[in-house]
Amino acid sequence: MKKIKVGVLGATGMVGQRFVQLLEQHPWFEVTEVAASERSAGRSYAEALEGRWKQPVPVPERVAGMTVKECKPGLDCELVFGALDSNVAGPIEEDFAKAGYAVSSNSKNHRMDPDVPLLIPEINPGHIALIDAQRKRRGGKGFIVTNPNCTLTGPTLAMKALDDAFGIEKAMIVSMQAISGAGYPGVASWDIIDNVIPFISGEEEKVETEPLKILGKLKNGGVEFAPIKISAACNRVAVRDGHTCCVSVQLRKKAGIEEAIGAMQQFRGEPQALKLPSAPAQPIVVRMEQDRPQPLLDREEGKGMSAVVGRVRKCSVFDLKFTVLSHNTIRGAAGCAILNAELLKAKKYI
Amino acid sequence: MKKIKVGVLGATGMVGQRFVQLLEQHPWFEVTEVAASERSAGRSYAEALEGRWKQPVPVPERVAGMTVKECKPGLDCELVFGALDSNVAGPIEEDFAKAGYAVSSNSKNHRMDPDVPLLIPEINPGHIALIDAQRKRRGGKGFIVTNPNCTLTGPTLAMKALDDAFGIEKAMIVSMQAISGAGYPGVASWDIIDNVIPFISGEEEKVETEPLKILGKLKNGGVEFAPIKISAACNRVAVRDGHTCCVSVQLRKKAGIEEAIGAMQQFRGEPQALKLPSAPAQPIVVRMEQDRPQPLLDREEGKGMSAVVGRVRKCSVFDLKFTVLSHNTIRGAAGCAILNAELLKAKKYI
Amino acid sequence: MKKIKVGVLGATGMVGQRFVQLLEQHPWFEVTEVAASERSAGRSYAEALEGRWKQPVPVPERVAGMTVKECKPGLDCELVFGALDSNVAGPIEEDFAKAGYAVSSNSKNHRMDPDVPLLIPEINPGHIALIDAQRKRRGGKGFIVTNPNCTLTGPTLAMKALDDAFGIEKAMIVSMQAISGAGYPGVASWDIIDNVIPFISGEEEKVETEPLKILGKLKNGGVEFAPIKISAACNRVAVRDGHTCCVSVQLRKKAGIEEAIGAMQQFRGEPQALKLPSAPAQPIVVRMEQDRPQPLLDREEGKGMSAVVGRVRKCSVFDLKFTVLSHNTIRGAAGCAILNAELLKAKKYI
Amino acid sequence: MKKIKVGVLGATGMVGQRFVQLLEQHPWFEVTEVAASERSAGRSYAEALEGRWKQPVPVPERVAGMTVKECKPGLDCELVFGALDSNVAGPIEEDFAKAGYAVSSNSKNHRMDPDVPLLIPEINPGHIALIDAQRKRRGGKGFIVTNPNCTLTGPTLAMKALDDAFGIEKAMIVSMQAISGAGYPGVASWDIIDNVIPFISGEEEKVETEPLKILGKLKNGGVEFAPIKISAACNRVAVRDGHTCCVSVQLRKKAGIEEAIGAMQQFRGEPQALKLPSAPAQPIVVRMEQDRPQPLLDREEGKGMSAVVGRVRKCSVFDLKFTVLSHNTIRGAAGCAILNAELLKAKKYI
């Protein structure tokens, strides 16, 4: 099979690097373009990184030598992955869509646009039908799909399994988030060693609203948001990778602990059915030890694409509570955007 | 004024050391006895520490040379502070009470005994009346009072202020707890560097039940528990001192953010009225910055005796949410037990 | 090829676990016995671990179910890997050797015995000839070989390359050592978060003497120690894995920076010639960036079996200085002992 | 006594904040001006900090409301403390000196100027005589004095005591430096959690040369550098404050361990004789425990102004080795510059 040419927008940043790393040796996609700010354009990718490659393996040699382009249409590829700062991502992604590119974005800018799918492919693969509306609006084959904020990915996967089985009415989510979520250089060591920072700008709003669109239903060519109330408190802790969330949920239909565990363990989605290359065998892994999940031990589960749930137990205020972990730069960012693109390819949108 | 002679039970452990440190230069109390396990008995306090003094200032010279005694009545003091492991604390404290000593304990063993006051002196100073029942039961002047688990101290102070003003119906508490809460050697560095541990044995039960007694009312010679539902999730993070809690509360009477902040800021208790030596000027300090409280920056507030609240805001599921921090080995342990003893002295129980 | 049956002594500890993990899927060896303290004996390996499995991958299923034995001869295997605490390792290893087992030990007890090879297989493979003397002494086919202390492995590999090329007269070594070097639970988090501990019991003596034996020459049936003076200062830092050492060396023959780098890069040993399964392609990897090696980025080089050198530069007191990193529980412990056993197998001692 | 008016240049940075904090309630000096970049000028100090006050106590109220000025002569003060970035410090400090101000700088720019004293007041107070040459050169009463790089302060104090007693010929220094040494935001948490960075730009050169000037002798109106060879390797570790150095020294005259310890313990300088306000009672504190100094436990010794030495022992290559710790932003920066100014005041240069 001839691989699909892809570009990475914002390729020198923390999430951009993850795209480059995860796409190396991808069976369907091949990075043919790396694009970044004007300052980087014209230099080789290796040079443009300026010593700031922060991934667990070296820069793929093939990409290291590529010339970085500006983030403007004209790139030699069919699909672009978006890892741009939200200060600039909005109009750039729109330009690419208008120019006929498929855009799979990690940026927040278009997530809540009515005709843009906000996708976790195990949860709402059907939302890709919104692409048709986009195409109509823009008048070409280009489109934008987005993946959600990194923090809510784990909780929303778990909530989906429970919502399908029992219905969810309310949820409280308290996060303990890794430093990689703030990019690089991101969180100063002076601020986080021996500390917790109980605030992450804009994060709680996303955690409270994005899941409602993801868990919503297609209706009249748009998404009807799920009738769930979510309250979130987001914290930064001294962990490298992996966001841990304590979640309490009020269900519409009572459920025992065992049933809830069963619902999560058995949960599978379209990516599993289609055997997409980046799909984990199990979207939700439930650990029975009393002290799991732990970011250090569980973040690489399913190559960083599984949500790991533990401590499923009765909540004395709501019905159930549990802890859920997901890898914030893989499942919560680059990995999810790649899985989105794989779904689109399987569904012939690319 | 002649100082009251006090002993410290379990004086070589982490909390015992805090007692020794905080009592040095206390205006009312003077450490005349340090007691610990059989193994330590007979050695000087300095020797018995075996290089494990873990406080921010050196061992007080006066105490360093004292001979460590066994934890049995016969100590030359009127009051003992209890910092024993809960495996052994129960009967030892009972023995001291029977022998006529006043016992101010940090151990969990007697906290839920019907006639033992579980005290946060700003909240339920009246509960010391239970001592009369104890004295009747045992037939002497000895008694036991306890301070609560370290994690709930901050949240319960904040809830008291809100409960007085608006009534609390339900609360969700998620903690991010410091390593000093596990004693020494306590948490292995291998377990916590670059990690979160989402479980602390027995902790959630305490956080869900002890506040109900503390916030309860005296009735028919006992405590009628407060009609509040609490759900807790407790986590360990890589912080040295200071437990941070995210709290959401459902109120009985609606309250605006400003009113809630006012209620907490203006909250004062008996220790402030009596000007007890260890009482902080303000039991609850409210910070208005969006990223406070932080353990690193706020744990020493009021010499470690103030709860620091921040991020008071609307909760989209309950009414209000906020973050509260308190120093776990001062306000949450030794400092609280000392404040309890000061109250008892002021009220002539000692 | 039929695999050689091997046992692990001290299989439940930190290094013992590494043996079990690294030997899983080994092409030549198969773990058939796990042995530990009396307390563990009789339980399954999974149970005996008591939740303390601390490796980056799960317990190998095949081993999890094995019954733990006591550390006494009678095990169904030909070779045992020693990961026992040095309080007990000495006589136990001697018993196994007497009973005819090959013992590849990570413990310090027999390292300096005159007829026991202290091996880094890239450096002194010829020292295995000492086994003949051992066999004569004990009168059987059993024997003991040891690997050195974890800290000196990296520096000694680098010094070997330089010693061969230019001769080394003196060396100063200052280490910054990972917490895993202290086993589990090992270093208390209270002692190391926001701290450096400038002392590790017994470590400096080993770093100053063991390399002299390793770099020594066989003579009259014993080892003549290398005529090098080494001074060491050993420190513990808040790093999970990987010991970093700053080394200054005085050479017998002057050498330029480029020559020194070349000598290290081109250095190869018998394990590379024999293509032993655990041998890294390059025993010494030299990084040219000014800020490498770093434990976080370089400890997995060569699957944890390569020493990574960087910052090779002039020393204004001696001739050269550089920084060298090696993985302390792989190259510096279990991995080295396995490589030793592979060498012995290739040389028909097993 | 009327206080001397002082200004702080670069008042919003990490070291500038330390100046503001340490000068609050200083018996001789009063901050009357805070100056910073053009961007900050015109705003109140509190605003200009933009939430980046990073000291252990709140911003002094008196200073919080001051209007930040540009770093140009015309400030209402007699003395300025320099905490500017070295990119801009050079000409600015020169301008202030020309305009008649006394400048006590922490920046590196003028440290090696022949007529600028590079001062550690316990070591080379006599070097202030160089000020006369400066005044002649510039033709006014203004002048510049500097304090050295933060890393070498502790080692140089210890070396001074040994040099006076026994003569030092050579020294090897390996540092483990705190993150605060890099300013704020400084070291990214992503780079240092679970890591060591074995390189700090420009640091080794300073550690190898600045002590030679400090330990040098006045001769013919200049400083004759001390005939000592120093080699340094500088590393960053995950410690908040306090630089720890392992030092080996070759002496000109043999010395026993006890003698060396005695020389360091008894060492006193002019600041102690003159009882300068910021002078610690003991410039060098020697700890006899085998595992000290530790940054966490010892950095506040003498209010952060004492060097703490431990592990004094034989070196098997040179004569002696030891570990020395000093607080990098107090003794190694702002505290030293203030002590310098106190000396100048006592000597009537201000």
Side-chain angles (χ1 to χ4, degrees):
Chain A
M1 188 179 95
K2 200 151 163 270
K3 289 191 182 176
I4 295 169
K5 294 179 176 181
V6 307
V8 177
L9 306 180
T12 56
M14 198 89 159
V15 172
Q17 292 176 20
R18 268 286 183 203
F19 275 118
V20 170
Q21 180 223 324
L22 293 174
L23 288 167
E24 192 57 21
Q25 306 186 309
H26 192 282
W28 296 357
F29 304 135
E30 181 180 23
V31 175
T32 55
E33 296 276 16
V34 282
S37 68
E38 226 172 296
R39 205 169 77 87
S40 296
R43 305 163 76 185
S44 76
Y45 184 58
E47 282 167 6
L49 287 166
E50 295 181 342
R52 291 186 165 196
W53 176 260
K54 298 289 168 186
Q55 302 310 308
V57 294
V59 190
E61 257 184 70
R62 205 181 54 79
V63 182
M66 286 185 190
T67 300
V68 176
K69 305 279 178 66
E70 281 191 63
C71 291
K72 290 179 185 167
L75 303 184
D76 175 26
C77 59
E78 182 176 346
L79 162 68
V80 293
F81 288 104
L84 290 163
D85 192 283
S86 58
N87 293 330
V88 299
I92 291 177
E93 291 176 0
E94 189 60 35
D95 285 350
F96 274 90
K98 275 185 196 147
Y101 292 83
V103 179
S104 178
S105 171
N106 180 57
S107 303
K108 70 177 181 188
N109 308 59
H110 295 290
R111 284 182 193 152
M112 301 309 263
D113 291 0
D115 61 4
V116 169
L118 176 57
L119 283 182
I120 295 180
E122 281 89 346
I123 299 182
N124 59 338
H127 288 200
I128 58 175
L130 293 174
I131 291 173
D132 302 333
Q134 272 191 64
R135 284 178 165 168
K136 204 168 296 172
R137 167 163 64 89
R138 283 197 203 87
K141 72 180 174 59
F143 62 85
I144 298 171
V145 301
T146 61
N147 60 274
N149 168 274
C150 53
T151 307
L152 57 89
T153 317
T156 309
L157 275 164
M159 288 196 291
K160 167 65 176 173
L162 297 174
D163 195 37
D164 282 358
F166 317 108
I168 288 185
E169 203 181 316
K170 297 174 189 172
M172 290 269 200
I173 299 175
V174 175
S175 73
M176 294 169 286
Q177 302 183 215
I179 54 173
S180 61
Y184 183 85
V187 183
S189 53
W190 185 254
D191 286 334
I192 200 70
I193 290 179
D194 185 17
N195 206 14
V196 165
I197 305 173
F199 174 73
I200 299 173
S201 184
E203 198 81 356
E204 295 172 358
E205 292 75 1
K206 293 177 207 161
V207 175
E208 295 185 352
T209 56
E210 293 183 10
L212 311 186
K213 180 170 181 184
I214 300 166
L215 295 169
K217 295 194 186 331
L218 276 190
K219 204 166 162 179
N220 307 327
V223 177
E224 188 182 66
F225 280 31
I228 300 176
K229 275 189 190 171
I230 300 177
S231 175
C234 293
N235 303 281
R236 187 80 65 193
V237 294
V239 164
R240 296 185 62 80
D241 278 317
H243 289 353
T244 309
C245 294
C246 293
V247 182
S248 282
V249 288
Q250 179 130 335
L251 303 175
R252 294 182 189 279
K253 196 180 116 189
K254 293 300 159 206
I257 304 299
E258 292 309 313
E259 287 174 287
I261 290 174
M264 291 192 274
Q265 279 176 325
Q266 288 146 29
F267 177 75
R268 296 293 183 281
E270 194 107 356
Q272 285 72 37
L274 295 168
K275 294 191 192 300
L276 299 180
S278 301
Q282 240 179 294
I284 305 170
V285 170
V286 182
R287 307 274 325 192
M288 304 306 289
E289 299 93 332
Q290 66 185 1
D291 62 352
R292 301 289 280 270
Q294 295 180 21
L296 188 71
L297 303 176
D298 296 308
R299 61 194 169 203
E300 301 295 340
E301 186 70 49
K303 296 190 178 169
M305 288 297 285
S306 292
V308 183
V309 166
R311 305 207 66 219
V312 184
R313 60 205 194 283
K314 284 273 166 210
C315 175
S316 40
V317 170
F318 285 170
D319 292 305
L320 288 176
K321 55 188 171 184
F322 55 88
T323 303
V324 56
L325 170 89
S326 58
H327 195 300
N328 52 300
T329 64
I330 302 179
R331 170 51 95 165
C336 193
I338 293 171
L339 189 60
N340 284 347
E342 292 169 0
L343 176 71
L344 292 167
K345 159 78 181 121
K347 296 290 189 184
K348 318 274 187 213
Y349 278 86
I350 300 178
Chain B
M1 188 179 95
K2 198 147 163 273
K3 289 189 182 177
I4 294 169
K5 294 179 175 180
V6 307
V8 177
L9 307 180
T12 55
M14 198 88 160
V15 172
Q17 292 177 20
R18 267 287 182 202
F19 275 119
V20 169
Q21 180 223 324
L22 292 174
L23 288 167
E24 191 58 19
Q25 306 186 310
H26 193 280
W28 295 358
F29 304 135
E30 181 181 22
V31 175
T32 55
E33 297 275 18
V34 281
S37 69
E38 229 173 293
R39 204 168 78 88
S40 296
R43 305 163 78 185
S44 75
Y45 183 59
E47 283 167 6
L49 286 167
E50 294 180 342
R52 290 186 165 197
W53 176 261
K54 298 289 168 185
Q55 302 310 308
V57 294
V59 190
E61 258 184 69
R62 205 180 55 79
V63 182
M66 286 185 190
T67 301
V68 176
K69 304 279 178 65
E70 281 190 64
C71 292
K72 290 178 183 168
L75 302 184
D76 176 26
C77 60
E78 184 175 345
L79 163 67
V80 292
F81 289 103
L84 290 163
D85 191 283
S86 58
N87 293 330
V88 299
I92 290 177
E93 291 176 359
E94 190 61 34
D95 286 351
F96 274 90
K98 274 185 195 148
Y101 292 83
V103 178
S104 178
S105 171
N106 180 56
S107 302
K108 70 176 180 188
N109 308 59
H110 294 289
R111 282 182 194 152
M112 300 310 263
D113 291 0
D115 61 4
V116 169
L118 177 58
L119 284 181
I120 295 180
E122 281 90 346
I123 299 181
N124 58 340
H127 288 202
I128 58 176
L130 293 174
I131 291 173
D132 302 332
Q134 272 191 64
R135 284 177 166 168
K136 206 169 292 172
R137 168 163 63 91
R138 283 198 204 86
K141 71 180 174 58
F143 62 84
I144 298 171
V145 301
T146 62
N147 60 274
N149 168 275
C150 53
T151 308
L152 57 89
T153 317
T156 309
L157 276 164
M159 288 196 291
K160 167 65 176 173
L162 298 174
D163 194 37
D164 282 358
F166 318 108
I168 289 185
E169 205 181 315
K170 297 174 189 170
M172 291 269 201
I173 301 175
V174 175
S175 73
M176 295 168 284
Q177 301 185 216
I179 54 172
S180 61
Y184 183 85
V187 182
S189 53
W190 186 254
D191 286 334
I192 201 69
I193 290 178
D194 186 17
N195 205 13
V196 165
I197 305 173
F199 174 72
I200 299 174
S201 183
E203 198 81 357
E204 294 173 358
E205 293 75 1
K206 293 177 206 161
V207 176
E208 295 186 352
T209 57
E210 294 185 7
L212 311 186
K213 181 171 180 184
I214 299 166
L215 295 169
K217 296 197 185 330
L218 275 190
K219 204 166 163 181
N220 306 327
V223 177
E224 188 181 69
F225 279 31
I228 301 175
K229 275 191 190 170
I230 300 177
S231 175
C234 294
N235 303 282
R236 187 80 65 195
V237 294
V239 164
R240 298 185 62 80
D241 279 316
H243 289 352
T244 309
C245 293
C246 293
V247 183
S248 282
V249 289
Q250 178 130 337
L251 303 175
R252 295 182 188 279
K253 197 179 116 186
K254 294 299 159 208
I257 303 299
E258 292 309 312
E259 287 174 286
I261 290 174
M264 291 193 274
Q265 278 177 325
Q266 288 147 31
F267 176 74
R268 296 292 182 283
E270 195 106 355
Q272 284 71 39
L274 296 168
K275 294 189 190 303
L276 298 181
S278 301
Q282 241 178 292
I284 304 170
V285 170
V286 183
R287 308 271 330 189
M288 305 306 289
E289 298 92 332
Q290 65 186 3
D291 61 353
R292 302 288 280 270
Q294 295 180 20
L296 188 71
L297 303 176
D298 295 309
R299 61 193 169 203
E300 302 294 340
E301 185 71 50
K303 295 190 178 169
M305 288 296 286
S306 293
V308 184
V309 166
R311 307 207 65 218
V312 185
R313 60 205 193 285
K314 286 272 166 211
C315 175
S316 41
V317 169
F318 285 170
D319 293 306
L320 288 177
K321 57 187 172 184
F322 56 87
T323 302
V324 55
L325 170 89
S326 57
H327 195 300
N328 53 301
T329 64
I330 301 179
R331 171 50 96 164
C336 192
I338 292 171
L339 189 60
N340 284 349
E342 292 169 1
L343 176 72
L344 293 167
K345 160 77 181 123
K347 296 291 189 183
K348 318 273 187 214
Y349 278 85
I350 299 179
Chain C
M1 188 179 93
K2 196 149 165 271
K3 289 191 184 177
I4 295 170
K5 294 178 176 182
V6 307
V8 177
L9 307 180
T12 54
M14 198 88 160
V15 172
Q17 292 177 20
R18 267 286 184 203
F19 275 118
V20 169
Q21 180 223 323
L22 292 174
L23 288 167
E24 191 58 19
Q25 305 186 312
H26 192 282
W28 297 357
F29 304 135
E30 180 180 24
V31 175
T32 55
E33 297 276 16
V34 283
S37 68
E38 227 172 295
R39 206 168 78 87
S40 296
R43 305 161 78 184
S44 75
Y45 183 59
E47 282 166 8
L49 286 167
E50 295 180 341
R52 290 185 166 198
W53 176 261
K54 298 289 168 184
Q55 302 311 307
V57 293
V59 190
E61 257 183 68
R62 205 182 52 82
V63 182
M66 287 186 190
T67 301
V68 177
K69 304 278 178 67
E70 281 191 64
C71 292
K72 290 178 185 167
L75 302 183
D76 176 28
C77 58
E78 182 176 346
L79 162 69
V80 292
F81 289 103
L84 290 163
D85 191 283
S86 58
N87 293 330
V88 300
I92 290 177
E93 291 176 0
E94 189 61 34
D95 286 351
F96 274 90
K98 275 185 196 147
Y101 292 83
V103 178
S104 178
S105 171
N106 180 57
S107 303
K108 70 177 181 188
N109 308 60
H110 294 290
R111 283 181 193 153
M112 300 309 263
D113 292 359
D115 61 4
V116 168
L118 176 58
L119 284 182
I120 295 179
E122 281 90 346
I123 299 181
N124 60 339
H127 288 203
I128 58 175
L130 293 173
I131 291 172
D132 303 331
Q134 273 191 65
R135 284 178 165 168
K136 205 167 297 172
R137 168 161 65 91
R138 284 199 202 85
K141 70 179 176 58
F143 61 85
I144 299 171
V145 300
T146 60
N147 61 272
N149 167 276
C150 53
T151 308
L152 57 89
T153 316
T156 308
L157 276 164
M159 287 196 292
K160 168 66 175 172
L162 297 174
D163 195 36
D164 282 357
F166 317 109
I168 288 184
E169 206 181 314
K170 297 174 190 169
M172 291 269 201
I173 300 174
V174 175
S175 73
M176 293 169 285
Q177 300 183 217
I179 55 173
S180 61
Y184 183 85
V187 183
S189 54
W190 185 254
D191 286 334
I192 201 68
I193 290 178
D194 185 17
N195 205 13
V196 165
I197 304 173
F199 175 73
I200 299 172
S201 184
E203 198 81 356
E204 294 173 359
E205 293 75 2
K206 292 177 207 160
V207 175
E208 295 186 352
T209 58
E210 294 183 9
L212 310 187
K213 182 171 179 183
I214 299 166
L215 295 169
K217 295 194 185 331
L218 275 190
K219 204 166 164 181
N220 306 326
V223 178
E224 188 182 67
F225 279 32
I228 301 175
K229 275 189 190 169
I230 300 177
S231 175
C234 293
N235 303 282
R236 187 81 65 195
V237 294
V239 164
R240 297 185 62 80
D241 279 316
H243 290 352
T244 308
C245 294
C246 293
V247 182
S248 282
V249 289
Q250 179 129 337
L251 303 175
R252 295 181 189 278
K253 198 179 115 187
K254 294 300 157 208
I257 303 300
E258 292 309 312
E259 287 174 286
I261 290 174
M264 291 192 274
Q265 278 176 325
Q266 288 146 30
F267 177 74
R268 296 292 183 281
E270 195 106 355
Q272 284 72 38
L274 296 168
K275 295 190 190 301
L276 299 180
S278 302
Q282 241 178 292
I284 305 170
V285 170
V286 182
R287 307 274 327 193
M288 305 306 289
E289 301 92 332
Q290 64 185 4
D291 62 352
R292 302 290 279 269
Q294 295 180 22
L296 187 72
L297 303 177
D298 296 308
R299 60 194 171 203
E300 302 295 340
E301 186 71 49
K303 296 191 178 169
M305 288 297 285
S306 293
V308 184
V309 166
R311 304 207 67 218
V312 184
R313 60 205 193 284
K314 285 273 166 210
C315 175
S316 41
V317 169
F318 286 171
D319 293 306
L320 289 177
K321 56 188 173 184
F322 56 88
T323 302
V324 55
L325 170 89
S326 58
H327 195 300
N328 53 300
T329 64
I330 301 179
R331 171 49 96 165
C336 193
I338 292 170
L339 189 60
N340 284 348
E342 292 169 1
L343 176 71
L344 293 166
K345 160 78 181 122
K347 296 291 188 181
K348 318 274 186 212
Y349 279 87
I350 300 178
Chain D
M1 188 179 95
K2 196 147 165 274
K3 289 191 183 176
I4 294 169
K5 294 179 174 180
V6 306
V8 177
L9 307 179
T12 54
M14 197 89 158
V15 172
Q17 292 176 20
R18 268 286 183 203
F19 274 118
V20 169
Q21 179 223 325
L22 293 174
L23 288 167
E24 191 58 20
Q25 306 188 307
H26 192 281
W28 297 357
F29 303 135
E30 181 180 23
V31 175
T32 55
E33 296 276 17
V34 283
S37 68
E38 227 172 295
R39 205 169 78 88
S40 297
R43 304 162 77 184
S44 75
Y45 184 58
E47 283 167 5
L49 287 166
E50 295 180 341
R52 291 187 165 196
W53 176 261
K54 297 290 168 184
Q55 302 310 307
V57 293
V59 190
E61 258 184 69
R62 205 181 54 80
V63 182
M66 287 186 190
T67 300
V68 176
K69 305 279 179 66
E70 281 191 64
C71 292
K72 289 179 184 169
L75 302 184
D76 176 26
C77 59
E78 183 176 346
L79 163 68
V80 292
F81 289 104
L84 290 163
D85 191 282
S86 58
N87 293 332
V88 299
I92 291 177
E93 291 176 0
E94 190 61 35
D95 286 350
F96 274 89
K98 274 185 195 147
Y101 292 82
V103 178
S104 179
S105 171
N106 180 56
S107 303
K108 70 176 181 188
N109 308 58
H110 295 290
R111 283 182 194 153
M112 300 310 263
D113 291 0
D115 60 4
V116 168
L118 177 57
L119 284 181
I120 295 180
E122 281 90 346
I123 298 181
N124 60 339
H127 288 201
I128 58 175
L130 292 174
I131 291 173
D132 303 332
Q134 272 191 64
R135 284 176 166 170
K136 205 168 295 171
R137 167 161 64 92
R138 282 197 204 88
K141 71 180 174 61
F143 62 85
I144 299 171
V145 300
T146 61
N147 59 274
N149 168 273
C150 53
T151 307
L152 57 89
T153 316
T156 308
L157 276 164
M159 287 197 290
K160 167 65 175 173
L162 297 175
D163 195 37
D164 282 358
F166 317 108
I168 288 184
E169 207 181 314
K170 296 174 189 171
M172 290 268 200
I173 300 174
V174 175
S175 73
M176 294 169 284
Q177 302 184 214
I179 54 173
S180 60
Y184 183 85
V187 183
S189 53
W190 185 254
D191 286 333
I192 201 68
I193 290 178
D194 186 17
N195 205 13
V196 165
I197 304 173
F199 174 73
I200 299 174
S201 182
E203 198 80 356
E204 294 173 359
E205 293 75 3
K206 292 177 207 161
V207 175
E208 294 186 352
T209 57
E210 294 184 8
L212 310 187
K213 181 171 181 183
I214 299 166
L215 295 169
K217 293 193 187 331
L218 276 189
K219 205 166 161 180
N220 305 329
V223 178
E224 188 182 67
F225 279 31
I228 301 174
K229 275 189 190 170
I230 300 176
S231 175
C234 293
N235 304 282
R236 187 80 65 194
V237 294
V239 164
R240 298 185 61 80
D241 279 316
H243 289 353
T244 309
C245 293
C246 292
V247 183
S248 282
V249 289
Q250 178 130 335
L251 303 175
R252 295 182 189 278
K253 199 179 114 187
K254 294 299 158 206
I257 303 299
E258 293 309 312
E259 287 174 286
I261 290 174
M264 290 193 274
Q265 279 177 325
Q266 288 146 32
F267 177 75
R268 296 292 183 283
E270 196 107 355
Q272 285 72 38
L274 296 168
K275 295 188 190 300
L276 299 180
S278 301
Q282 242 177 291
I284 305 170
V285 170
V286 182
R287 307 275 326 193
M288 304 306 289
E289 299 92 332
Q290 65 186 1
D291 62 351
R292 301 289 280 270
Q294 293 180 22
L296 188 72
L297 302 176
D298 295 307
R299 61 194 169 203
E300 301 294 340
E301 185 70 50
K303 296 189 177 170
M305 288 296 285
S306 293
V308 183
V309 166
R311 305 208 66 217
V312 184
R313 60 205 195 283
K314 286 274 165 209
C315 175
S316 41
V317 169
F318 285 170
D319 293 305
L320 289 176
K321 57 188 172 183
F322 56 88
T323 302
V324 56
L325 170 89
S326 57
H327 194 300
N328 53 300
T329 63
I330 302 180
R331 170 51 94 165
C336 193
I338 292 172
L339 189 60
N340 284 348
E342 292 169 2
L343 177 71
L344 293 167
K345 158 81 182 121
K347 297 292 190 181
K348 320 275 188 212
Y349 278 85
I350 299 177

